[in-house]
Amino acid sequence: MRAYCSLFVDAGYLMAAASTRVTGTSLRSATDMDVPGLLDDLQARVQADSGLPLLRINWYDAGTKAGTPDQRQREIAELPRVKLRLGRLGHNGEQKGVDLKLALDLIAQSRNRVAEVIYLISGDDDLSEAVEAAQELGVQVVALVVPDEAGEAIAVSRHLRQTVDRMVTIDGAVIDDRVKRPAMPAAGLTALPQAPSAIPNQQVSTTRPTPLVMPLRPLGGSVLRLPVPPRSVPAYATSTGTGRHWPGSVVDEAEVDDAIRFVVEKVVQNLWRTAGPGLRAELDRDRPNIPAEIDRTLLNDLSNKVGHYDLPQPARFALRDAFWESVDKQ
């Protein structure tokens, strides 16, 4: 039997990480991706690395709430040797079932020995157990990751790094060539000024309700061009009760303030650069709710910036308040 390699692509990770490299934020709508060209490049990369022909590419993403593909996903499904594997969108725009499909496919391919080496483009810690199960079946699992400007992997959990057999970096020039900022900013919109620092002592404003206690609603499709939000990570969950404190050995308050300032500046500038003219009205109408994709991006980027994936409530409050303060300054 001829040996093959296989490529599993977590679309949420790939798009968010590529956007982070190009724009400084994981907001997927901040960039345009040449998916066919990028998949051709990735196929060449894994074949050269493994010395094996590619069996196929599995593309994992969230479809509609009913689990059906949108137009862009249908086009991806028609690409040669690409298998579209869809979860669905939950009520608040979060992905449902994507990780499970990927994990089950990883184990099934390993059990059936249809590939000798499986390349995984993802940073999700929840896939570590499926990787270990595939390894126990005799398959090598390699993480194929998006690098930042320094060549370090973007948003790959420490546990997943330790679990895979090895990590291979996608050539940064490939990402830069296939993932671009939109050619023209939206008419009449300008970048926002630099975001303010976090609220002193991480205190929460008492003059208005905060997004943590309000239901989130996705932004209308007429405002953001990409309908599919980035993948959720544990930092996105909202809990009740008293907030947890930062472990003193991980990050201090000054670092949090700097990280919040950096994250808000990047997210807001890219959001305003690519959004349609209805964005301001949409934000004002739903305030203090932050649209789901934007909120997830803020939390995800702050988690990655400080290297801490279970953000306590004070940091979340401060991040969201800094976002609104930045919007108000324009």
Side-chain angles (χ1 to χ4, degrees):
M1 181 181 295
R2 189 178 184 185
Y4 292 94
C5 66
S6 189
L7 176 59
F8 286 19
V9 180
D10 175 349
Y13 166 81
L14 178 60
M15 292 183 178
S19 184
T20 298
R21 175 182 170 86
V22 173
T23 69
T25 174
S26 61
L27 188 69
R28 282 172 56 170
S29 57
T31 55
D32 290 328
M33 176 179 285
D34 173 10
V35 175
L38 181 56
L39 291 183
D40 285 343
D41 295 334
L42 294 175
Q43 176 178 338
R45 181 74 172 98
V46 299
Q47 289 184 150
D49 182 76
S50 65
L52 299 171
L54 178 72
L55 177 66
R56 73 176 57 89
I57 299 171
N58 281 14
W59 181 272
Y60 297 88
D61 206 353
T64 65
K65 290 182 179 180
T68 57
D70 59 29
Q71 178 58 38
R72 189 184 192 195
Q73 291 164 341
R74 285 192 289 269
E75 293 171 358
I76 292 173
E78 294 174 359
L79 296 173
R81 282 197 285 185
V82 174
K83 177 70 173 179
L84 181 65
R85 299 287 285 153
L86 289 182
R88 58 184 174 82
L89 288 180
H91 177 70
N92 291 326
E94 73 278 12
Q95 292 188 356
K96 297 287 189 179
V98 177
D99 288 347
L100 180 59
K101 283 182 180 291
L102 196 159
L104 292 175
D105 288 349
L106 181 61
I107 295 171
Q109 279 204 12
S110 302
R111 180 179 293 115
N112 295 325
R113 298 307 297 264
V114 296
E116 294 293 319
V117 183
I118 297 177
Y119 290 85
L120 175 63
I121 300 182
S122 181
D124 197 336
D125 183 81
D126 291 341
L127 295 175
S128 299
E129 285 72 21
V131 169
E132 289 178 336
Q135 291 167 330
E136 290 173 359
L137 292 168
V139 172
Q140 183 181 159
V141 182
V142 179
L144 188 59
V145 300
V146 177
D148 60 18
E149 291 296 333
E152 298 296 325
I154 295 175
V156 179
S157 76
R158 181 175 301 174
H159 190 198
L160 186 62
R161 292 171 187 249
Q162 296 170 345
T163 303
V164 295
D165 291 288
R166 57 194 175 93
M167 290 176 57
V168 174
T169 301
I170 301 171
D171 188 350
V174 167
I175 299 296
D176 297 339
D177 183 51
R178 301 298 187 180
V179 182
K180 303 287 189 181
R181 295 174 185 265
M184 295 292 293
L189 294 179
T190 58
L192 290 180
Q194 181 169 329
S197 62
I199 298 173
N201 300 321
Q202 305 292 316
Q203 292 180 352
V204 180
S205 171
T206 59
T207 60
R208 59 181 171 82
T210 66
L212 274 178
V213 296
M214 302 291 288
L216 295 175
R217 194 175 83 180
L219 196 63
S222 63
V223 177
L224 292 180
R225 294 174 295 107
L226 292 183
V228 183
R231 173 179 304 281
S232 296
V233 297
Y236 298 155
T238 297
S239 60
T240 58
T242 58
R244 294 180 294 277
H245 298 288
W246 291 100
S249 61
V250 175
V251 64
D252 61 31
E253 188 170 315
E255 291 180 64
V256 176
D257 289 348
D258 290 342
I260 287 174
R261 184 162 49 248
F262 177 87
V263 165
V264 169
E265 179 182 359
K266 290 293 186 181
V267 170
V268 172
Q269 286 183 348
N270 282 284
L271 177 67
W272 237 256
R273 184 179 185 275
T274 59
L279 174 61
R280 184 56 187 259
E282 184 88 358
L283 291 174
D284 288 342
R285 185 189 67 196
D286 291 343
R287 188 166 181 160
N289 293 0
I290 298 176
E293 180 185 358
I294 301 172
D295 193 59
R296 274 190 293 269
T297 299
L298 289 166
L299 291 165
N300 184 52
D301 288 359
L302 182 59
S303 291
N304 292 333
K305 184 68 175 174
V306 299
H308 193 72
Y309 296 94
D310 190 13
L311 296 176
Q313 297 286 36
R316 300 185 191 191
F317 275 106
L319 178 66
R320 286 155 170 162
D321 282 339
F323 171 80
W324 285 119
E325 290 174 15
S326 182
V327 170
D328 288 342
K329 284 198 171 186
Q330 82 133 352

